[in-house]
Amino acid sequence: MKQLKILVACGSGIATSSVAVYKIENLCKEIGVDAKIVKTTIKEIPEKSAGMDLVLTTNRYQGIAECPVECVVNLLTGINSEATEKKIANILLNLAET
């Protein structure tokens, strides 16, 4: 399995992305995926997504990105978070195997 490069973005690149990084780090450990996680702002996704395997956002994003983008706001709210964790885990495992 290869090491994944994950970009986690929120409005400021500080608050909610920090919580999301923590949750994604734990998820990666649980499923055995090695990942380098970088925080950023939503505005910086177009330029910082190059070379990344996945972008995870804490709100909806419909802009340009050089890799797949998934919203993980449910990990913060707790609403339907198990389904979101399962979806992200499947994506991470698939990316790590390619």
Side-chain angles (χ1 to χ4, degrees):
M1 287 184 145
K2 72 174 185 175
Q3 181 186 49
L4 298 180
K5 297 175 189 166
I6 303 170
L7 190 64
V8 177
C10 72
S12 68
I14 300 169
T16 57
S17 62
S18 294
V19 175
V21 165
Y22 173 77
K23 294 194 179 250
I24 297 303
E25 285 174 339
N26 287 338
L27 180 60
C28 286
K29 287 177 188 172
E30 285 177 25
I31 63 173
V33 169
D34 182 24
K36 178 181 179 189
I37 303 172
V38 178
K39 292 189 304 180
T40 194
T41 66
I42 293 289
K43 289 181 184 179
E44 295 175 318
I45 290 173
E47 63 210 44
K48 290 193 173 180
S49 63
M52 293 291 174
D53 295 297
L54 181 64
V55 173
L56 301 173
T57 65
T58 61
N59 51 5
R60 299 270 178 233
Y61 178 75
Q62 296 181 359
I64 297 168
E66 298 292 321
C67 61
V69 177
E70 293 290 332
C71 181
V72 294
V73 70
N74 293 359
L75 298 181
L76 306 175
T77 65
I79 299 169
N80 206 19
S81 62
E82 288 181 16
T84 301
E85 282 183 12
K86 185 176 180 179
K87 179 181 180 180
I88 298 303
N90 286 334
I91 291 169
L92 293 172
L93 288 169
N94 286 335
L95 289 171
E97 291 175 356
T98 57

